[in-house]
Every structure is written in C-alpha cells, then in structure tokens.
C-alpha cells in the first residue's frame, strides 16, 4: 500500500506539472485517504489517522472525515469524532442524493459519539437527523440494492439507540433479507452482539447464510 501511495504521489506530481489542474491535488488526497483507511483496517490506527488527516490538507472529502470519525468513535476520542463529523457535514448540501447519503452516515456517527460521551439528548436529536436524511433518499425500490440494505441497517441502529428496540430489530432483519452480502450480514450480526441480542444475532447469521 505504501509503495502504491508513493507511485500515486509521483504520478500526480508529474501530471500536475505537465497539465496544471486542481484535479491532481484531489486525486492525491483520494489516494492518501485510501492509504489511511487501509492502515486503520489493519490495526495501524495512529498511522491511518495521520494519513487521513494529511489527505484533508490536500483536499477535504466527506469520505476522509467519515473514516476519521469512525476511528475516533471506536477509540473513545469522542470530541474529535464530533469535530470530524461536523466538518464533513459542513461540506455537504441537500442538493444531491449522494450528499444526503453521506450526510446520513456522518449524522449517525456523530450521534454515536455524543451518546458515548454521555450526551443522550443531543445524540437522540442526531439519530433523528440521520433517519430523516436516510428517508430523503426516496423509495427503497428506486435505490441500488446495497444502499437500500445499508439504509435499513443504519436506520435500525438509530432506532435502537433512541429506544424503539422492536422496530430496530425488524429493520436490521429486513436489511439482511433484502441483501445478504457479507458486509450487510456481518454489520447486522456485530451490532446485535454489541447490544446483547444474541438470539437475534444468531437468527440474522443464519439468514445471511
């Protein structure tokens, strides 16, 4: 990954000299963000955070902000997580479905950070914001299958933390029934284990199989 990153930087630097454009800076940022996500996924959290932060200095992206927010929620850096989420949300508008999709994910992550920091009222408001953003994407039948399943799963997570457990389990189960890919199934099982719903986790596991 580091070798590929070095090659990408050399290429974009050379291309920027030959054909000046902001696109090369953005391409370098995307490459560095990908490196950071890869490092973090392998347990090299500090190195991943450094690469992701550096990518933002090249060109801000909601993807990098989402990754940093996720890392800091998982490592109990809740203030930093809220800061990254707020910065990422500030980049987005309601003009496109893509922006609303990214906003929904960042709002849920921001809610997670607030909840784990003990700010229950603020987190509930953020979870509701996330649910509204997911709802704004339109009818399920009009969405790509993977995104439709992600909306069900993410909405289930939000519903759980605002207290509607029955509805949450229903949405999470429907997500796996709708798209039993490894990412959807593993995400659903992991969340149900986290919330100590072990029988439901087993049920979803077998549904995924």
């Amino acid at each position: 990954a580091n070798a590929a990153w070095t090659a990408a930087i050399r290429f974009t630097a050379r291309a920027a000299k030959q054909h000046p454009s902001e696109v090369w800076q953005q391409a370098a940022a995307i490459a560095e963000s990908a490196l950071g996500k890869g490092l973090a996924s392998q347990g090299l959290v500090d190195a991943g955070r450094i690469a992701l932060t550096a990518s933002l200095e090249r060109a801000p992206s909601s993807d990098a902000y989402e990754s940093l927010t996720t890392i800091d929620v998982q490592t109990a850096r809740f203030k930093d997580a809220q800061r990254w989420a707020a910065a990422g949300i500030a980049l987005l508008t309601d003009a496109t479905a893509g922006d609303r999709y990214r906003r929904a994910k960042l709002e849920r992550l921001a809610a997670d950070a607030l909840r784990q920091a003990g700010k229950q009222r603020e987190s509930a408001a953020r979870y509701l914001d996330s649910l509204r953003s997911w709802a704004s994407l339109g009818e399920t039948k009009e969405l790509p299958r993977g995104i439709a399943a992600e909306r069900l799963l993410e909405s289930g997570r939000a519903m759980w933390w605002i207290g509607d457990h029955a509805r949450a389990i229903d949405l999470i189960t429907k997500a796996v029934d709708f798209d039993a890919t490894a990412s959807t199934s593993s995400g659903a099982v992991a969340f149900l284990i986290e919330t100590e719903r072990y029988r439901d986790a087993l049920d979803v596991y077998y549904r995924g199989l």
Side-chain angles (χ1 to χ4, degrees):
N2 276 298
W5 157 242
T6 300
I9 284 299
R10 288 174 178 168
F11 172 78
T12 54
R14 184 170 61 251
K17 288 182 179 179
Q18 296 172 351
H19 306 285
S21 171
E22 291 183 0
V23 70
W24 304 117
Q25 187 79 350
Q26 294 170 350
I30 291 170
E32 195 162 19
S33 176
L35 173 64
K37 291 169 68 176
L39 289 168
S41 74
Q42 298 304 305
L44 302 171
V45 175
D46 290 338
R49 185 184 285 107
I50 289 170
L52 286 161
T53 303
S55 79
L56 292 174
E57 294 175 359
R58 295 179 186 277
S61 73
S62 61
D63 183 59
Y65 281 122
E66 180 185 338
S67 298
L68 283 164
T69 305
T70 301
I71 290 170
D72 283 346
V73 168
Q74 293 176 348
T75 55
R77 301 186 182 202
F78 303 128
K79 287 186 178 179
D80 287 338
Q82 292 170 45
R83 177 168 57 86
W84 295 127
I89 290 169
L91 289 178
L92 305 171
T93 69
D94 291 325
T96 67
D99 272 11
R100 294 194 297 274
Y101 166 74
R102 297 180 186 93
R103 177 188 293 273
K105 295 200 291 181
L106 281 166
E107 286 169 337
R108 198 270 295 172
L109 287 167
D112 284 350
L114 287 164
R115 173 177 55 81
Q116 294 185 56
K119 299 180 179 179
Q120 300 300 326
R121 182 174 297 179
E122 294 95 327
S123 72
R126 271 298 188 189
Y127 283 125
L128 289 172
D129 288 340
S130 179
L131 288 168
R132 293 187 190 100
S133 293
W134 281 117
S136 73
L137 295 182
E139 296 294 328
T140 297
K141 63 183 180 181
E142 297 173 355
L143 298 174
R145 180 173 291 273
I147 292 178
E150 185 178 10
R151 174 165 72 173
L152 288 167
L153 180 56
E154 288 283 298
S155 296
R157 286 174 171 145
M159 292 298 290
W160 177 273
W161 294 121
I162 61 177
D164 193 341
H165 295 176
R167 180 60 174 156
I169 298 299
D170 180 57
L171 289 169
I172 291 168
T173 302
K174 284 181 178 177
V176 175
D177 288 343
F178 195 79
D179 181 39
T181 57
S183 60
T184 302
S185 298
S186 62
V189 170
F191 180 77
L192 291 168
I193 291 173
E194 176 190 351
T195 54
E196 301 183 353
R197 296 292 294 239
Y198 303 123
R199 290 183 182 277
D200 291 314
L202 279 171
D203 177 57
V204 166
Y205 167 74
Y206 288 121
R207 285 172 181 266
L209 290 180

